[in-house]
Amino acid sequence: MSKPSSIYLDYNATAPIRPEARDAVLRAFEVAGNPSSVHASGRAARDIVETARAQVAALVGVVPGSVTFVSGGTEANALAIGSAAFSGFNRVIVSEGEHDAVLETAAASGLQVLKMPLDADGVARLDWLEEALSDEGRALVCLMLANNETGVIQPVAQAAALVRAADGWLHVDAVQAAGKIAIDFTALGADTMALSAHKLGGPQGVGALVAGTRATIVRQQHGGGQERGRRAGTENVAGIAGFGAAAEAALRDLPSLANQGTWRDALAERVKAAGAVVLGERAQRLPQTLCLAAEGFASQIQVMNLDLAGVMVSAGSACSSGKVKASRVVEAMGRPDLAPFALRVSGGWATTEQDWISCGDAWLAAYSRIGARRREVA
Ligand code: PLP
């Protein structure tokens, strides 16, 4: 596939499909078999699934048997939280930066829900966690590896040590981090980890739950014995093939993606010079994510202005209905004043330096138009 023609800087919403993933999907469509069938076509489909399982496993440094394919990041989170709820855990601690896929699932789980606050840099407060873990009852702790709005990387390995000491279960939503930074599941000390194909250049509607030996995965839907009894239903063979190919390509491209940090920071300097604030700037962040806010320049007005200029970005928190709400994450960072003005710019595998520069040009032009209009009104 050629690079998208307009400027697409919304990879944290979904990444354009990588050529390797597209090819793998199309090749898989040529195979007629059900991976559970024992005949030759079935075995060919099984091979596709198992090749992809090894590719996804390699992305996070685990053995293939640790990977359960599901329909996406949302289901992976639900499978982990549902499994913990069935396994004798009676409370769930979620960071305030978690995606709705975690927050809403935790709220519906029947477990007692506790919210772990963020500091001003968008990092989860481990001092708070340590204290909460000392209370009665085994806890499931959900801490994302990187935040979808700010890109802030969370102290997962340190949290894992605390969770282990308290005999808890650490679930890590790595949907945004996977394919953007190196991940070693074992070194992080997580018990389960959610991944999603479409955030790293694979197809939408496929993901995986990675589980370590301490976690018992309890299937949440019943039927056939697919995925070693962890997830019933015929596998999405073509989607899984695309996921595997995208994971392999993303792992290969990690060093070049790291370079985007320089382009991202150059844009940050330009918008800051015009008066914008960069959220989470002092924390370690994904190299391709920028969350900025300029008072008086509402998120949706920014998105619309940039769209007119051919640049696609997201409001800090664009919910699935397409409506823009004030960013809950920015509020949790102690900046409710900036929450209605947050904008997320996120690049990826096909993004060029010029894309970041053009985004900056369009943003600065729109911001100065808004300023001029305000001065006229005043
Ligand atoms: N977790 C995070 C951090 C996300 O950013 C998203 C998607 O935006 C999800 C989970 C949900 O993933 P999916 O769209 O694959 O269900």
Side-chain angles (χ1 to χ4, degrees):
M1 192 198 90
S2 59
K3 210 175 107 45
S5 52
S6 42
I7 296 174
Y8 185 81
L9 286 167
D10 202 11
Y11 278 68
N12 288 10
T14 203
I17 194 143
R18 290 175 181 268
E20 299 89 343
R22 170 188 286 248
D23 289 350
V25 169
L26 294 177
R27 276 197 308 276
F29 278 140
E30 300 302 320
V31 176
N34 184 319
S36 298
S37 299
V38 290
H39 51 59
S41 284
R43 292 198 306 278
R46 170 59 52 205
D47 276 355
I48 291 173
V49 171
E50 297 314 320
T51 299
R53 198 186 307 280
Q55 289 167 316
V56 171
L59 182 67
V60 295
V62 295
V63 293
S66 309
V67 174
T68 300
F69 286 118
V70 296
S71 67
T74 301
E75 188 186 336
N77 285 318
L79 183 54
I81 295 170
S83 296
F86 271 104
S87 305
F89 287 79
N90 51 14
R91 56 199 183 116
V92 52
I93 298 173
V94 291
S95 90
E96 284 192 335
E98 297 301 304
H99 189 269
D100 278 346
V102 166
L103 292 181
E104 297 290 325
T105 307
S109 68
L111 302 173
Q112 180 200 5
V113 181
L114 299 161
K115 298 253 175 87
M116 178 177 7
L118 305 181
D119 68 16
D121 298 319
V123 178
R125 293 249 321 269
L126 295 189
D127 57 327
W128 183 96
L129 176 64
E130 189 167 11
E131 209 176 311
L133 284 171
S134 67
D135 288 347
E136 199 65 14
R138 289 177 75 204
L140 163 68
V141 177
C142 296
L143 180 58
M144 64 200 332
L145 187 47
N147 183 266
N148 43 303
E149 291 183 38
T150 59
V152 169
I153 297 171
Q154 302 297 324
V156 167
Q158 294 93 310
L162 299 174
V163 174
R164 281 273 156 104
D167 196 24
W169 172 324
L170 179 63
H171 173 63
V172 176
D173 179 342
V175 164
Q176 289 295 345
K180 295 172 185 159
I181 53 170
I183 298 179
D184 182 336
F185 177 85
T186 313
L188 283 175
D191 292 302
T192 45
M193 177 177 277
L195 305 173
S196 177
H198 73 104
K199 306 290 186 182
L200 49 85
Q204 295 166 342
V206 58
L209 182 69
V210 178
T213 48
R214 286 166 22 107
T216 304
I217 302 306
V218 182
R219 67 182 184 175
Q220 304 293 300
Q221 60 196 44
H222 302 278
Q226 290 91 350
E227 294 300 284
R228 303 200 299 169
R230 293 171 162 187
R231 202 264 184 179
T234 300
E235 297 87 341
N236 171 6
V237 177
I240 288 170
F243 185 12
E248 188 174 271
L251 185 60
R252 178 200 66 206
D253 289 351
L254 280 180
S256 60
L257 194 73
N259 293 335
Q260 295 229 4
T262 315
W263 306 339
R264 184 268 317 266
D265 291 343
L267 169 56
E269 289 312 315
R270 293 177 73 195
V271 298
K272 277 188 339 188
V277 172
V278 170
L279 290 139
E281 197 183 11
R282 288 179 306 183
Q284 245 194 313
R285 280 172 301 155
L286 296 175
Q288 45 58 262
T289 303
L290 175 65
C291 184
L292 62 95
E295 235 193 303
F297 198 8
S299 304
Q300 60 267 56
I301 304 290
Q302 297 184 64
V303 172
M304 285 189 294
N305 272 278
L306 289 182
D307 192 32
L308 287 172
V311 181
M312 288 173 270
V313 295
S314 268
S317 84
C319 72
S320 49
S321 64
K323 287 194 196 118
V324 176
K325 297 181 280 189
S327 167
R328 163 171 70 61
V329 175
V330 175
E331 278 172 4
M333 292 166 75
R335 295 302 306 261
D337 54 322
L338 291 179
F341 309 115
L343 187 77
R344 178 183 72 190
V345 184
S346 53
W349 67 269
T351 305
T352 63
E353 183 175 15
Q354 187 55 49
D355 291 340
W356 287 95
I357 294 170
S358 302
C359 176
D361 294 345
W363 190 89
L364 289 166
Y367 190 45
S368 74
R369 278 199 304 274
I370 298 282
R373 224 167 290 147
R374 274 192 178 160
R375 283 189 295 277
E376 271 166 32
V377 175

